[in-house]
Structures are given as C-alpha cells and as structure tokens.
Amino acid sequence: MPELTYLQAISSALRDELRADERVFLLGEDIGAFGGAFKVTHGFHEEFGADRVMDTPLAETAIIGTAVGAAVSGLRPVAEMQFADFIACGFDQLVNVAAKMHYRQGLAVPMVVRLPSGGGFSGGPFHSQNPEAWFMHSPGLKVVAPSTAEDAKGLLHAAIQDPNPVVFMEHKHLYRRVRGEVQDGIYTTPFKARIARRGENLTVITYGAMVPAALEATAELDGVEVLDLRSLTPLDVEAIVDSVSRCSKVVIVDEANATCAAGAQVSAVIAEHAFEMLDGPVKRIATPDVPIPFSPPLEAAVLPSVTRIREACDELLGY
Amino acid sequence: MLMMRGLEARALSLYKQGKVPGSFYDGYGQEAVSAGAAFAMAAEDRLCILHRDLAAHIVRGVEPARILAQYMGRASGITGGRDGNVHFGDRNRGCVGMVSMLPDMMCVANGLALAFKLRGQKAAALTFCGDGASSRGDFHEALNWAGVQRLGVIFVLENNQYAYSTPTSAQFAVDPVKRAETYGVRGVSVDGNDAEAMFAAVHEARTRAANGEGPTLVEAQTMRMHGHAAHDDMRYVPKELVEHWAARDPIKLQSKRLKELGVDLDALQRDVDAEIDAASQEALASPMPDPDTALDGVFCEGEATELADGLAPWSGWAHA
Ligand SMILES: Cc1ncc(C[n+]2csc(CCOP(=O)(O)OP(=O)(O)O)c2C)c(N)n1
C-alpha cells in the first residue's frame, strides 16, 4: 500500500471519484490551473479539464447555491472553500437551501463542501476557525472530520457517494504532517467513530487534528484510550457510551471554541446516557471563546496543546 | 391565470376560516407574469417558483387539490405539511421549491443551468425574483456568475413596485435591467400584466438560453395589488397607483383578446370554478400529517431522489 500524506489522500479520493463517476465535478476558487490554495487539486486541470475542475468567481454564496442546483439535477458537485472560514459567506445557501431541501420536498442534495479548517500556523482570526458546530446545529447536513490519511480518503469517498449534503472538515495542520498507508482505489469509511488506541483507565474523545495530539499526549500514560469520532453528524453515540463504559473517565478535546462545540454535545450525550458509568467529572479541553489570535504566543495560549491534554489526563487519572 | 386567481381566492377564504395556518401571500394582479413565463418553458426545463407565482405551478401540472392541501398543511400537500403556503416546488414537475431567503433561488437556478451546460443539454432554468430581493448579495453573485459562465438561465424580475412596504425608490438607485447588463446578462423590460408579452419575452430568452447564447433578465413591470400578506392593508400605497394598475388587470386584458377570438369565457370560468370546488373538497377531506412522522426525511436514505420533467402545455419546443 502506498504511503500518502493526509493531503495526498484527499487528492487521491477526488481523482478516483472524477475518474469513476462522470457526475462528479469540483468547483471552487483557484482550484483549476493553479491547483488550489493548498494544491489539493494540483494537476487535475490537465487531466479533467476546466468544466470538471471549475474555477469560480470569488463568490461563496454562489458556489454553494450553484452546487445545490447541480446536485438536485443529478450531478455530484464537490465545492472547495479556500479556507473553512469563508463558508460564513455561503452559510445561508448551505443551512437554508441545501440542508432543508430533502425534509421539505423529498429532493436529495448529493454534494460535498470541503472546508480546510483549523489553526496553529498564525492564520489569525479569519484563517484558523473550526466551524463544524455551526453545521451540527443545522439538521440535514452531515459533518465529518478525518484525522488520518486513510480516513481522509475513505470518508471523502463516502461523502461524495452520500445522497446528502456533507460538510467535510479537513484540517490544514494535518495536510502535510500526517501520513500513512492508504489503500489504492475507491473504498468508503463509515460515518462512525474508531478507536485510535484502546485503553481501560481513561478515554480521550476527540476528532480531527486533536486525535494525533491526544495520541502523543497520552503515549506514555497507562491504559489511555483515544476515541476518534470521525463523524460529528451523525454522532456515534453507541461508540461514545461504549468507550466511557469501559474507561469510566473522560477527557473531551476540541480545537474549536468551547461553547456549544462538538465536545459539548459529546459531554451532553455522556451525561444523558453514561452518567452511571463515570468515575470522575467529565473534563473538557477546547479553545476558549475567543477569536484565534495571530501572533504565535497568543495563538499558542488559546489552542489546546499536547501539554494541556496530558495535564488534564494526569489530573483525572489521579482523581 | 383564472385558476391562479380562483385558487388564491379560495385559499384566502380558507385562511379566514382558520383552516390555513401561518400567514397567507398571494399574487393577485400579477397572474400574467408567472403564467406567461411558465408557458414558455419546455418539459425538461427547470424552475424555481416564488411566492407570487402560483400560475407557474399550475402550468407545470401541480394539481389544484394538492395546492390547497399545501396551504392547509395537509399530508397530501406538496411538502406534506413540512413547509407552508407558497414555499413549495414539485420535484416531479421539474421544480425546486423556494426558501424564504430571497433571492437565494437565483444561485440555485444557475446550478440547474450549469448542469444542462455540463451535460450538453439544450434546456434552460428559470427563476423569479422580486424588486426588493434585487438588493441582496445573492442577486449580484448570481447575475455575475451567470454572465461569466454564460449560463442558460432566465431571471424573471417581478417589479411589483413594493417590497413589503418599501417602494423601489428606496430599494435601488440603478434600474435592474441596467444592473443586469453591467454583469453581462441581457436585460429586457416588459409589461408584466400582459401574458402574451411575458410569453414572448421568456420564449425568446429560453431560445437563447437553450442555444448557448447566455442568460437574460426579464423585468416584468407589474403591481402588487394586495398587501404583502393577508395581514397587510397596504395603507402605504397611494390610491392613484392602485387605481392605475387596477385598470390594467391582466385577466381583463387577456379576456378581451380571447373574446375577440370567440372564446367562451363564461364557460371557461365555470370549468375553473368547478375544478376549484372539487379541489377544495378533496383537500379538506385529506388528513393532517401524522405527528409520528415529524422526524422523518431529514436525510435521504438510499438512492438520491432527482427532479423529473414537468408538463409543458405549449408544445412549441417539441421539435426544438
Ligand atoms: C433575505 C430576506 N429578508 C427578508 C425577508 C422577509 N420578506 C419576505 S418577502 C419581503 C419583501 C420581498 O419583496 P420583493 O423581493 O420585491 O418581492 P415581492 O414580495 O414584492 O413579490 C421581505 C422583506 C425575506 N423573505 N428574505
């Protein structure tokens, strides 16, 4: 099996889908000849042409709205936001038009919106956000967030093949830092959690870029499980309850701002469904409710770190 | 047009009887816009129909009983009670239902037209848009995109002089047709109370769209003759303006033409009334949705559902 970076795995999924299914096309800003801000579609323009790797005007509302129209017509658009942050400009089309379409009139909207998200590189307040919770709060959208190269490819194949609008959170920090063996060809990864490391003394429940951080933070600790959610909508309640039941202590990590984050929902699920299994308070680590600052020391002060995760685990293990 | 006027009148009386929940919007006095425009579209074309355009649904083949059931939130309404009043589109008639946010459907219509273009199909997409909605960003993003990609899309801008209580003078400084042209979208202005003029303008726009000659914005000059919704007495509209347009009622105008052609209008009206009576009875007899189904259908399970073609009573495109 070839070893690919997280970014190459995403490219590989897109390329394989474009080759296999003529309904699939990509649209976004500067994704054509330039190959995208992060080069995810590097070389695609030559292979697939300008119609299937479509450069669009700088118009996020229109990108999402046009994708909706194409999707209900039976195509399979995959829209790229140059940065996740810019989905704010296309938010209405996504949450009002795409998300509610099937419920209202039984019309499927098979489209994917790729959101290069996350901080850690001085992107500042407008190039670092993790807006996944906005979409979890919008019935009709699925939200997935891979943490490994293998899942990045498998979840993207599954997202493109899904008959619903799927928000695909791809973490910029993982693009070139994470690599792993990735199967050739098309395979789908289910929208379910995965145990990244099995343990029995404490579970760290997280997703996206915080999965490698949690694995690193707890590598030396005894019996710490790391549950990688992979999918935020649908949320794998069964896997969460199972992990908590076996480990009894929980640390939940989000890179997103704390209030109403995915981790807040996980915490609520645990309170409702696994309260009796707990042997200590649920601990949450997340970015405080503050815009992501630009300057490195400020940014480092707010984003969850390996050290903060380790400290939280140590503390809870000693509870 | 008669069916639209009659159905809306019936729906309004059902509203007053408390049988239509929520609010009530109509397109009284604007019937020629949606009737004329929809009539010019082919079966395989795609439409996003708005809140003053009931005639377009009727032309596409949506049954009157389902329309009344829709207003009343019944299970047999087009959205099965999931959305109200005019917020619907019958996907089996090639229509994508509007959302409240105006004019979002302009971007969606571009996507429908883009799909035709990518597949090399000679067909067109059409959506309506209000004068007020032309102030929002979606209008500009959609016009710009349609101009850049030369999409086969038709935007029918219904200039009915008011957006809720706001007159066009407080809405824009530059005429919508001119604005369209600055985006590379052909713009034409027509008498929106003249069904035949509407048909001709949209017919031409559709021919161009299907032949790859790009998008058109058709401004339909008309007047909103009722309040914004049933609660609105439109006190803010000068009386003379209403009188001016009342004399130009689209149904009267078309009736005159048809009479000259020897059409029996009384018989036509009797047929329409009978159909509405039957539809009303059918809709009133149909059940409310089962509360146990309120959570169903948030996601599509299984194969993706798609749009099907609508009816196209005017067969002029059959050999196109
Ligand atoms: C984005 C948005 N803002 C506000 C509203 C509330 N609203 C509903 S209809 C309307 C007036 C629309 O005017 P216009 O576009 O001219 O269409 P008309 O109703 O006159 O046909 C307003 C303000 C809305 N539907 N969408």
Side-chain angles (χ1 to χ4, degrees):
Chain A
M1 282 199 289
E3 208 184 68
L4 300 183
T5 63
Y6 184 89
L7 184 143
Q8 288 166 334
I10 292 169
S11 302
S12 160
L14 294 173
R15 196 181 297 109
D16 288 351
E17 289 291 339
L18 282 163
R19 284 179 184 161
D21 185 348
E22 62 176 16
R23 298 172 303 175
V24 175
F25 75 103
L26 317 183
L27 70 169
E29 295 159 14
D30 311 297
I31 68 168
F34 185 69
F38 297 98
K39 299 290 176 200
V40 170
T41 51
H42 177 70
F44 280 41
H45 193 252
E46 291 77 358
E47 181 174 352
F48 303 106
D51 275 355
R52 298 189 71 201
V53 189
M54 183 183 291
D55 276 329
T56 69
L58 194 167
E60 284 74 14
T61 294
I63 291 173
I64 305 297
T66 305
V68 172
V72 299
S73 298
L75 297 179
R76 295 290 181 272
V78 181
E80 173 179 305
M81 292 290 106
Q82 204 154 65
F83 285 79
D85 311 65
F86 299 118
I87 191 59
C89 304
F91 188 73
D92 169 45
Q93 287 283 348
L94 193 52
V95 306
N96 284 318
V97 187
K100 297 173 178 51
M101 184 81 77
H102 190 267
Y103 184 74
R104 295 169 60 237
Q105 46 186 331
L107 182 57
V109 188
M111 63 183 271
V112 176
V113 183
R114 291 180 36 237
L115 299 186
S117 63
F121 58 97
S122 283
F126 306 111
H127 292 76
S128 306
Q129 294 177 79
N130 293 284
E132 49 272 19
W134 300 351
F135 307 109
M136 294 175 68
H137 204 70
S138 182
L141 300 176
K142 295 187 179 179
V143 184
V144 299
S147 73
T148 68
E150 187 188 3
D151 287 350
K153 182 165 157 73
L155 285 173
L156 188 48
H157 283 303
I160 294 171
Q161 291 172 24
D162 199 283
N164 296 284
V166 181
V167 177
F168 188 85
M169 307 298 308
E170 47 190 66
H171 201 290
K172 301 190 294 285
H173 200 68
L174 302 181
Y175 270 159
R176 292 178 173 85
R177 282 181 184 81
V178 161
R179 55 172 63 241
E181 291 197 344
V182 173
Q183 243 173 274
D184 268 333
I186 293 178
Y187 63 91
T188 57
T189 300
F191 292 177
K192 296 229 175 257
R194 130 194 116 92
I195 296 170
R197 188 207 296 123
R198 197 169 261 283
E200 59 290 324
N201 296 329
L202 181 151
T203 179
V204 181
I205 302 180
T206 187
Y207 62 94
M210 292 297 103
V211 172
L215 286 169
E216 186 187 338
T218 57
E220 317 273 282
L221 302 178
D222 189 29
V224 172
E225 175 150 316
V226 174
L227 184 71
D228 176 358
L229 292 169
R230 295 202 291 204
S231 170
L232 304 177
T233 305
L235 191 60
D236 193 343
V237 172
E238 205 179 311
I240 293 167
V241 171
D242 172 65
S243 184
V244 172
S245 306
R246 286 183 291 99
C247 301
S248 304
K249 290 178 174 176
V250 194
V251 173
I252 303 167
V253 188
D254 285 283
E255 188 184 301
N257 296 114
T259 298
C260 299
Q265 182 62 21
V266 172
S267 178
V269 162
I270 294 169
E272 274 188 77
H273 301 288
F275 181 76
E276 308 270 304
M277 311 293 177
L278 287 173
D279 184 24
V282 170
K283 253 193 181 311
R284 285 192 58 204
I285 296 185
T287 297
D289 294 332
V290 59
I292 310 302
F294 161 71
S295 184
L298 294 178
E299 186 179 27
V302 305
L303 291 183
S305 64
V306 167
T307 314
R308 273 176 69 200
I309 299 171
R310 185 181 303 125
E311 283 167 5
C313 292
D314 276 338
E315 204 179 304
L316 191 57
L317 283 168
Y319 179 85
Chain B
M1 289 200 277
L2 289 177
M3 182 58 85
M4 170 169 170
R5 186 163 290 184
L7 268 181
E8 288 188 341
R10 183 61 57 95
L12 180 60
S13 72
L14 291 168
Y15 176 76
K16 288 179 176 161
Q17 292 164 22
K19 296 197 172 88
V20 173
S23 45
F24 180 78
Y25 307 86
D26 69 11
Y28 184 89
Q30 296 178 222
E31 292 88 348
V33 178
S34 55
F39 223 66
M41 302 303 282
E44 66 273 23
D45 291 339
R46 300 291 180 243
L47 282 77
C48 306
I49 300 168
L50 261 65
H51 54 297
R52 313 275 180 215
D53 311 319
L54 193 68
H57 293 294
I58 298 164
V59 171
R60 294 300 283 183
V62 182
E63 302 79 358
R66 290 175 69 220
I67 293 173
L68 290 175
Q70 165 73 16
Y71 281 112
M72 293 191 285
R74 306 283 167 133
S76 62
I78 295 95
T79 67
R82 280 158 156 64
D83 204 343
N85 51 62
V86 286
H87 294 122
F88 71 89
D90 188 343
R91 66 180 178 84
N92 293 313
R93 302 294 192 204
C95 297
V96 184
M98 66 175 286
V99 298
S100 269
M101 293 69 202
L102 302 168
D104 285 23
M105 303 316 286
M106 286 177 73
C107 295
V108 177
N110 274 351
L112 298 167
L114 177 65
F116 287 136
K117 186 179 169 190
L118 292 178
R119 289 171 166 150
Q121 274 170 279
K122 285 185 122 198
L126 178 148
T127 186
F128 299 90
C129 161
D131 46 278
S134 77
S135 302
R136 259 198 81 242
D138 291 42
F139 177 83
H140 300 272
E141 291 196 19
L143 281 179
N144 181 59
W145 184 305
V148 168
Q149 296 194 346
R150 310 226 28 86
L151 296 176
V153 64
I154 303 156
F155 304 118
V156 176
L157 189 142
E158 271 170 285
N159 186 347
N160 62 4
Q161 316 305 324
Y162 283 85
Y164 210 149
S165 74
T166 309
T168 52
S169 60
Q171 202 70 249
F172 43 76
V174 177
D175 174 78
V177 171
K178 268 198 205 146
R179 284 188 285 163
E181 282 167 353
T182 61
Y183 287 115
V185 174
R186 179 173 160 266
V188 293
S189 190
V190 294
D191 179 355
N193 282 20
D194 180 343
E196 294 186 10
M198 275 309 303
F199 174 83
V202 174
H203 176 255
E204 189 188 357
R206 199 268 169 192
T207 306
R208 296 175 59 96
N211 288 334
E213 290 167 59
T216 302
L217 181 141
V218 177
E219 182 195 28
Q221 284 281 355
T222 182
M223 176 69 196
R224 199 192 71 211
M225 297 297 285
H226 278 171
H228 170 64
H231 67 272
D232 172 15
D233 63 9
M234 57 189 250
R235 208 174 302 196
Y236 46 83
V237 178
K239 246 175 74 190
E240 311 78 69
L241 189 61
V242 178
E243 283 162 8
H244 168 77
W245 285 96
R248 310 199 59 263
D249 180 76
I251 291 182
K252 272 191 215 148
L253 186 72
Q254 194 62 14
S255 297
K256 205 168 140 226
R257 283 192 187 128
L258 294 179
K259 217 176 266 169
E260 280 161 18
L261 291 173
V263 175
D264 182 350
L265 287 165
D266 294 332
L268 193 60
Q269 185 68 59
R270 274 196 303 275
D271 286 352
V272 167
D273 290 344
E275 207 180 323
I276 292 170
D277 284 341
S280 175
Q281 276 176 20
E282 186 183 334
L284 282 164
S286 78
M288 292 303 274
D290 177 355
D292 288 345
T293 65
L295 302 185
D296 296 350
V298 175
F299 291 106
C300 175
E301 322 270 350
E303 284 295 300
T305 46
E306 286 186 26
L307 295 166
D309 293 348
L311 301 189
W314 180 70
S315 58
W317 301 114
H319 309 292

